[in-house]
Amino acid sequence: MNAPHTPHRPIQALPDQLISQIAAGEVVERPSAVVKELLENALDSGATQITVRLEEGGVKRIAITDNGRGIDKDQLPLALARHATSKIASLHDLENVGTLGFRGEALASIASVAAVTVTSRTADAAHAWEIVGSHNGTVAPSSGAPGTTVDVQDLYFNTPARRKFLKSEQTEYGHCAEVVRRIALARPDVSFSLSHNGRTIDQWNISELAKRSAHILGNDFAEARLALDETAASLRLHGFVGLPTASKARADGQFFYVNGRFVRDKLLVHAVRMAYQDVLHGDRFPSYVLALDLDPSLVDVNVHPSKIEVRFRDSRSVHQFVFHAVQRALAQTSATAFGSVPAPLPAASSLGGDAPAGGPGIWRREQTQTSFGAQFTNTYAPPGGGTQPFFAEMPGVAQSTAAYGALFAGTGASGPSPITQVEPYVATPEAMAREEYPLGFALAQLHGIYILAQNTKGLVLVDMHAAHERILYEQLKNALQAQVSGQDMQVQALLIPVTFYADAIEVSTANENQDTLKALGFDIAALSPTTLAVRSVPTLLKNADAQTLARDVLRDVREYGGSRVLIERQNELLGTLACHTAVRANRILSVQEMNALLRQMESTERADQCNHGRPTWVQVEISALDKLFLRGQ
């Protein structure tokens, strides 16, 4: 194939119009990019009410009106000029960006590929003023309320080649609507209205995050989420994480914000994904709405033209903080975490900012030291108010140990073993009233699969295999962590080293991180500038694909400063062991065994879900049973 002919031209300065159109290629990828830039400008102006009007998917028209501070008459020509902004004035401002927009390129780039009209009025102005991008900066009187309207029409009218790359009207509208949803989710203190082709599609009034997220993500998320609010040094992570039962087949329910800016950051996505590794396996994706607040000087938002990626000064600490915060939130899903059996949240229409009565409260962990490994103070705010320690000691747990130990012993091929005699649990009215045992007391076993128990709320149904599997998994994991704590990882030397082709980055990563790799149980050495050899792996992973494992470890060491691949593989292995060891279906359990299992569930982290994210128990309240039998009707 012949190389394309490049005409020889002298070096020359590009005209401003062409410069803006080149910039527009980066900033104005499609109509949704225009919507994003204009919405960010509206929020930066202090607006509390924003209206978005679209026509033909935003290609024909995008008009965004806000009630913000407005722009002075004399400043309007600068609003359309390149590299003109009110948001930064020095390098210090750039390194401490506290606004959503700051480049000073958006309006100029948009005006270079569309017909743009800006109408604005400040609070002290007698009337509004208008400037049309194609009229050489002439400002004329106009009408309008305080605030700003940016009207963008005929996108790419002067660059028809770009317009041909756009998709159908409905597809482009879908991208625009998604941008509005993301920004509306970040700012529940601002009302938003979205219309398309003259018809109002969505409207969100000023509310709290709980109600706004329920409106945007739906009732399925609202009824299966945990509130999170955790701080460490200058970092704060808050919002909602969905229970595994709210997982989806696609990652379209994931919203992460850094200082109010929606981002798709690989480091943050990885941290959250790893936090779900104990409760969500396979190809399911968790749903969450999380906001990370930190000092602007600790994050660089100027690394991508669309500002959707960020770079942290201490990425490893941020990764660990987010990972542990979400992991701790998900860990507190045993029956005792809320002091009573969890109840679903009410319908989205009744949600407010705080957890409603009868639903999950908010757990908080405070850390006053700057070290991420410092001790935390744990408190839980119940729905009714007040706080309580997050892990209260459960009465009767020790009593169940003997019976539960027998349950372990009775899962082998030789059949059930004798049950150690323990004092039976008696469902006295006093014990029920005190709610000493949130999962109640066993009544019977159904088809050798489910345990039926009663508590103060009504009937509890337990999947005994799934529940036992989670308990075993947590115990195996804790035993493994205790075994390797304070000593070197047990490794398996390979009889024949596994060699594979590696690029320069992988080779340099292996050479520069030998101590870290050995601490993780790996011996990976460079045989040549393009070849790596795996000589040993952790004993627990001796049957894994050594080449794939080595590549994953090297990638994580390079990206995150330490590897979580080992933990992931261990967790998968432990999950398999727990599944094969857990009590099987059709195993007949005594009442003591069933109660022992209930007590152990109450004291086990993540006991509400099995290792695959499915529920281990459900609550059927008395009112629901009354309704089935038409009692009181």
Side-chain angles (χ1 to χ4, degrees):
M1 182 180 294
N2 294 328
H5 174 67
T6 303
H8 176 71
R9 293 194 181 103
I11 297 175
Q12 57 185 345
L14 296 176
D16 286 342
Q17 177 71 3
L18 182 56
I19 292 174
S20 295
Q21 289 176 335
I22 293 173
E26 297 178 339
V27 177
V28 191
E29 179 184 2
R30 62 195 325 159
S32 61
V34 176
V35 173
K36 174 181 179 293
E37 296 289 347
L38 298 185
L39 282 178
E40 289 180 346
N41 282 343
L43 291 174
D44 285 340
S45 73
T48 59
Q49 182 177 337
I50 299 176
T51 300
V52 181
R53 290 169 291 165
L54 305 174
E55 293 182 18
E56 296 183 9
V59 178
K60 182 179 179 181
R61 187 184 188 194
I62 299 170
I64 295 183
T65 301
D66 67 63
N67 66 342
R69 289 185 294 272
I71 306 172
D72 289 328
K73 170 190 174 183
D74 297 338
Q75 296 282 297
L76 276 175
L78 282 174
L80 295 177
R82 292 180 58 248
H83 304 307
T85 179
S86 62
K87 300 168 186 177
I88 62 171
S90 65
L91 178 60
H92 177 270
D93 294 339
L94 183 61
E95 293 176 344
N96 294 270
V97 173
T99 55
L100 296 174
F102 56 88
R103 292 172 178 267
E105 293 181 351
L107 280 177
S109 299
I110 295 169
S112 70
V113 293
V116 175
T117 301
V118 181
T119 305
S120 192
R121 176 183 174 185
T122 58
D124 56 354
H127 56 79
W129 294 90
E130 177 183 280
I131 183 171
V132 180
S134 60
H135 289 181
N136 299 320
T138 302
V139 179
S142 184
S143 60
T148 302
T149 296
V150 181
D151 196 339
V152 179
Q153 299 189 36
D154 296 324
L155 192 61
Y156 303 130
F157 77 96
N158 56 356
T159 53
R162 291 290 305 279
R163 193 160 185 163
K164 292 178 181 178
F165 282 93
L166 297 179
K167 304 300 182 182
S168 68
E169 174 182 328
Q170 196 59 35
T171 297
E172 295 301 338
Y173 166 73
H175 287 289
C176 292
E178 180 64 18
V179 167
V180 178
R181 290 173 69 240
R182 290 173 186 166
I183 293 179
L185 194 53
R187 294 296 302 272
D189 59 326
V190 177
S191 69
F192 292 84
S193 176
L194 171 64
S195 66
H196 186 222
N197 294 335
R199 185 168 66 93
T200 299
I201 305 298
D202 269 312
Q203 187 160 348
W204 301 285
N205 296 324
I206 294 176
S207 61
E208 301 291 342
L209 179 60
K211 188 172 183 178
R212 180 69 59 86
S213 61
H215 191 165
I216 292 178
L217 273 72
N219 287 342
D220 289 344
F221 177 78
E223 294 173 358
R225 65 185 181 188
L226 294 168
L228 183 155
D229 193 341
E230 183 163 340
T231 59
S234 63
L235 304 178
R236 180 192 178 203
L237 185 69
H238 56 101
F240 295 99
V241 290
L243 292 172
T245 50
S247 64
K248 307 179 70 175
R250 297 188 302 166
D252 57 354
Q254 301 180 350
F255 297 85
F256 211 118
Y257 301 88
V258 175
N259 287 348
R261 185 190 309 277
F262 175 81
V263 298
R264 279 202 197 97
D265 186 83
K266 292 188 297 182
L267 180 137
L268 297 175
V269 170
H270 183 272
V272 177
R273 181 68 183 179
M274 292 304 98
Y276 275 88
Q277 65 184 345
D278 277 350
V279 292
L280 195 63
H281 296 301
D283 56 357
R284 303 292 294 178
F285 293 91
S287 297
Y288 51 82
V289 180
L290 292 172
L292 178 65
D293 299 333
L294 71 166
D295 189 328
S297 64
L298 300 179
V299 57
D300 185 0
V301 298
N302 191 29
V303 297
H304 192 275
S306 65
K307 303 187 291 289
I308 204 167
E309 297 178 7
V310 295
R311 182 184 295 118
F312 297 101
R313 180 173 296 181
D314 189 351
S315 59
R316 182 176 183 180
S317 295
V318 171
H319 181 279
Q320 290 296 94
F321 170 69
V322 172
F323 165 72
H324 287 297
V326 177
Q327 185 187 52
R328 282 189 287 264
L330 295 172
Q332 317 309 327
T333 55
S334 67
T336 59
F338 305 107
S340 63
V341 176
L345 287 169
S349 59
S350 66
L351 285 174
D354 298 322
I362 298 177
W363 66 273
R364 292 186 174 88
R365 292 170 69 92
E366 291 291 334
Q367 178 182 356
T368 55
Q369 302 180 31
T370 58
S371 168
F372 284 89
Q375 293 293 320
F376 286 83
T377 300
N378 311 325
T379 59
Y380 171 71
T387 59
Q388 64 188 48
F390 215 76
F391 275 113
E393 184 173 348
M394 280 293 300
V397 171
Q399 188 181 19
S400 71
T401 303
Y404 191 72
L407 190 59
F408 265 87
T411 57
S414 59
S417 62
I419 299 298
T420 302
Q421 295 298 316
V422 296
E423 189 69 23
Y425 293 92
V426 181
T428 63
E430 293 77 12
M432 295 288 285
R434 291 196 301 270
E435 291 193 355
E436 291 179 344
Y437 309 114
L439 290 182
F441 301 87
L443 298 173
Q445 194 175 8
L446 182 64
H447 289 293
I449 300 174
Y450 301 104
I451 294 173
L452 279 64
Q454 68 168 330
N455 62 2
T456 56
K457 293 180 181 289
L459 179 68
V460 175
L461 300 175
V462 178
D463 183 333
M464 67 182 195
H465 172 74
H468 195 194
E469 182 181 346
R470 165 58 70 183
I471 294 168
L472 282 171
Y473 173 80
E474 292 293 335
Q475 292 191 345
L476 287 169
K477 185 176 65 174
N478 292 336
L480 177 63
Q481 293 173 349
Q483 175 186 355
V484 301
S485 178
Q487 53 185 292
D488 293 336
M489 181 71 65
Q490 295 183 8
V491 300
Q492 173 70 51
L494 302 182
L495 185 61
I496 302 176
V498 175
T499 61
F500 60 95
Y501 171 81
D503 59 33
I505 295 178
E506 289 175 323
V507 172
S508 63
T509 301
N511 288 334
E512 295 169 5
N513 294 275
Q514 283 295 306
D515 291 341
T516 299
L517 293 173
K518 288 181 179 178
L520 293 168
F522 291 89
D523 184 356
I524 304 175
L527 299 183
S528 75
T530 58
T531 306
L532 287 176
V534 183
R535 295 170 175 166
S536 67
V537 297
T539 302
L540 281 169
L541 306 178
K542 62 183 179 180
N543 295 323
D545 185 301
Q547 178 179 335
T548 302
L549 203 57
R551 288 188 184 277
D552 287 343
V553 170
L554 291 173
R555 183 189 64 242
D556 276 8
V557 167
R558 181 174 70 252
E559 292 186 6
Y560 309 113
S563 177
R564 301 205 59 81
V565 171
L566 178 62
I567 294 178
E568 293 174 37
R569 297 295 187 270
Q570 284 181 351
N571 286 341
E572 291 177 6
L573 175 61
L574 296 181
T576 300
L577 292 174
C579 183
H580 286 291
T581 310
V583 59
R584 312 306 297 180
N586 300 318
R587 163 82 191 280
I588 304 303
L589 303 180
S590 68
V591 173
Q592 286 93 338
E593 287 178 308
M594 289 188 282
N595 277 317
L597 183 61
L598 296 177
R599 301 292 79 80
Q600 197 72 12
M601 289 174 64
E602 291 166 347
S603 61
T604 299
E605 292 183 345
R606 309 176 185 88
D608 282 356
Q609 289 89 31
C610 76
N611 303 339
H612 309 289
R614 294 186 292 270
T616 58
W617 66 279
V618 295
Q619 174 79 60
V620 182
E621 298 191 1
I622 286 290
S623 59
L625 295 173
D626 290 342
K627 187 175 181 180
L628 285 174
F629 292 97
L630 305 179
R631 289 179 60 87
Q633 299 185 20

